[in-house]
Amino acid sequence: MRDGGPGTRIGAMKKLFAGLASLLLLAEVAQFYLAASGAFDSAPIEEAFSPHRFLGYLILFSAVVLVVVSAIARMPGRVIGRTALVAGLVLIQSLIREVARSFGEGSETGHLIFGVHAVNGLIIVGATIWVVREARQIAWPRTELSHATRS
């Protein structure tokens, strides 16, 4: 069984990939919570957004690791590519932040550019949802035999 079926080492890696992708999605949802929490915190901006920034770096690391795991698990190219897209978009988050800061913390241009940070975050979540959905379908395929057994 070298096809990556459920009983193989590759099959186990595909399940691991699906689980890690699900954890990444959960971390991204938590990231939105931390962003909102920081926005309404009375502490200075750097301090208020510290948990959001820390989790962002953790998400970046996790997304890069997930790309490697997707390749090791021999996921289809479309899944590896979309996983790499997620990692790239997460990396762009820091770039957006720095470009916005270069225009000044309180400037209108900085605020407009920083708005792209939130939109990019939504795109990241959407792409991750796609990866999770595909990964689960690949890791736990529905066969006609399993449908017949359940009926």
Side-chain angles (χ1 to χ4, degrees), residues 22-46:
S22 298
L23 286 175
L24 179 61
L25 181 59
L26 182 63
E28 291 168 0
V29 170
Q31 186 70 325
F32 275 92
Y33 172 81
L34 292 174
S37 177
F40 293 105
D41 197 330
S42 59
I45 289 177
E46 285 299 315

Side-chain angles (χ1 to χ4, degrees), residues 1-15 137-143:
M1 277 198 150
R2 304 186 111 208
D3 65 349
T8 66
R9 181 176 287 161
I10 295 299
M13 287 299 294
K14 289 179 187 218
K15 289 178 180 177
Q137 288 174 356
I138 292 166
W140 293 281
R142 294 181 182 246
T143 62

